[in-house]
Amino acid sequence: MADAKVIPFGEEPRSRRRSRRGAPGGRTPRTASAPLAPVPPPRDEPGEPEEPDVAAEAAEAAREAGDGWERKVAHGLNFLRRRITGDYEVDEFGFDKELTDQVVLSALRPFAEKYFRVEVRGVENIPEKGAALVVANHSGTLPIDGLMLQVAVHDHHPAARHVRMLAADLVFKLPVVNEISRKLGHTLACAEDAQRLLERGEVVGVMPEGFKGIGKPFSERYRLQRFGRGGFVSTALRAGAPIVPCSIVGAEEIYPMIGNSKTLARLLGLPYFPLTPTFPWLGPLGAVPLPTKWTIQFGEPVPTDGYPPEAADDPMLMFNLTDQVRETIQHTLYKLLVQRRSVFF
């Protein structure tokens, strides 16, 4: 039996140590088939939200605000250039749509939204296209209700339609008021102008009470005056346009008229000279209207296209339709007054 070589306990054989060291020099060679794996990026702990980049968001908001102001300035300069060079359009009645939309209505809108807080109901009863005759009650000592009616229809109607108001002769005799009224699309309250506008498919607004409505004493508030001879019904019949009754609550109290100085009215050539609790006692401050809460409601339209052409000359038919529209407006006024909690709230 050959002599066995005894290996001390814990010591490996020389041949095994040599094979594990590999190449001479004690270095283990790397093979090309085993590339180093990329180190994955650290993951956020689950449940921890990412912190928003406040600085970046603020910079983006500032950039958007700056762009918005730049657009507004550019738009304003372009508007001024067109006004100076005369590069804008007006119709045969003097209506300036661009000036009305961007200047006049923009100036009136804060009064409608913030001061009188006008609530608009039933504006969808005005057709989206085509002619319509809006007939409304008139009150308030000064004809502010007509202006608020225009803002209400333009801002709340789905088609943003313009109401072409019919105004009295006095409006077009006043120097500055005449120009502004023409630019707003107002025209003389005569059957010829009203019919031409309706035949063009416009929305025409009329307040048949006239000066009798806005000049009545405060004790007769919300009591409709006579609607004339029914000329607006004849005009609607000839044009085949629907009649839309409109009731306005809140305008009666802006200037409570407790008296009328007829002597001053004759001297100034006015239909009346109002005396209110604040005017003329407080001077110019007394001319500031009271901030009442308004409601403007449009009723169901009264169709006129089903009548024959000769119906416009039928006095009995005109009387019946006039009375129907008047009673609708009066009934709606009473209904709105019952629902109203306060004059100012």
Side-chain angles (χ1 to χ4, degrees):
M1 182 175 183
D3 295 338
K5 187 174 180 180
V6 179
I7 300 175
F9 179 76
E11 185 178 348
E12 293 183 354
R14 186 184 304 269
S15 60
R16 189 179 301 173
R17 290 198 304 267
R18 188 180 299 116
S19 63
R20 194 165 60 182
R21 282 197 302 265
R27 295 189 303 269
T28 303
R30 294 180 179 176
T31 59
S33 61
L36 293 177
V39 179
R43 296 182 179 179
D44 295 336
E45 292 294 331
E48 294 183 1
E50 294 184 1
E51 295 184 1
D53 193 343
V54 180
E57 292 181 358
E60 181 66 21
R63 184 164 51 253
E64 292 179 357
D67 293 342
W69 277 108
E70 290 178 0
R71 285 194 297 270
K72 290 180 180 179
V73 171
H75 183 72
L77 293 175
N78 191 26
F79 172 77
L80 291 176
R81 179 191 61 79
R82 290 196 301 273
R83 307 311 297 187
I84 294 174
T85 59
D87 186 18
Y88 58 91
E89 296 181 358
V90 296
D91 67 5
E92 56 182 308
F93 297 94
F95 175 50
D96 191 334
K97 183 178 182 300
E98 183 184 44
L99 184 68
T100 299
D101 289 344
Q102 300 190 23
V103 178
V104 184
L105 290 184
S106 298
L108 295 173
R109 191 167 292 118
F111 290 94
E113 295 180 352
K114 305 298 182 181
Y115 196 78
F116 296 125
R117 295 146 292 151
V118 178
E119 179 183 355
V120 182
R121 304 177 183 177
V123 71
E124 65 277 1
N125 289 319
I126 299 176
E128 292 195 10
K129 59 181 180 179
L133 182 66
V134 177
V135 182
N137 60 306
H138 207 10
S139 61
T141 305
L142 291 180
I144 298 178
D145 51 358
L147 299 176
M148 294 298 104
L149 176 62
Q150 282 189 273
V151 177
V153 174
H154 180 269
D155 289 358
H156 295 272
H157 194 273
R161 303 203 65 179
H162 288 276
V163 179
R164 309 293 295 272
M165 299 298 300
L166 303 180
D169 300 358
L170 179 61
V171 173
F172 301 102
K173 294 179 180 178
L174 301 176
V176 179
V177 177
N178 173 30
E179 294 297 326
I180 297 177
S181 297
R182 288 292 184 186
K183 296 295 184 181
L184 271 170
H186 300 176
T187 188
L188 193 63
C190 63
E192 292 78 9
D193 286 359
Q195 186 168 350
R196 286 164 59 194
L197 287 170
L198 290 174
E199 289 174 350
R200 289 173 42 178
E202 301 283 354
V203 177
V204 178
V206 61
M207 294 175 167
E209 294 176 279
F211 290 120
K212 300 187 301 294
I214 58 176
K216 63 178 179 289
F218 187 67
S219 59
E220 298 181 12
R221 59 191 179 278
Y222 298 114
R223 298 179 189 174
L224 293 182
Q225 305 298 303
R226 191 170 63 91
F227 267 22
R229 296 186 297 271
F232 68 90
V233 172
S234 176
T235 303
L237 286 170
R238 295 181 190 280
I243 302 174
V244 181
C246 176
S247 303
I248 304 174
V249 167
E252 292 275 18
E253 295 88 0
I254 60 174
Y255 295 113
M257 186 170 167
I258 59 177
N260 178 17
S261 178
K262 296 182 179 180
T263 303
L264 287 176
R266 284 195 299 269
L267 291 174
L268 298 175
L270 301 175
Y272 57 90
F273 187 88
L275 303 176
T276 73
T278 58
F279 182 83
W281 330 113
L282 299 182
L285 185 61
V288 177
L290 297 178
T292 58
K293 175 72 172 65
W294 287 35
T295 301
I296 300 179
Q297 179 162 331
F298 299 91
E300 293 288 337
V302 179
T304 62
D305 54 354
Y307 294 95
E310 61 271 13
D313 298 322
D314 186 349
M316 185 57 65
L317 176 62
M318 285 193 296
F319 174 81
N320 290 335
L321 287 178
T322 301
D323 190 60
Q324 176 185 348
V325 174
R326 186 181 182 279
E327 288 300 319
T328 300
I329 297 174
Q330 184 69 81
H331 177 73
T332 305
L333 287 174
Y334 288 149
K335 184 178 178 180
L336 293 175
L337 289 172
V338 170
Q339 297 173 352
R340 185 170 67 168
R341 295 180 302 166
S342 170
V343 173
F344 299 100
F345 304 102

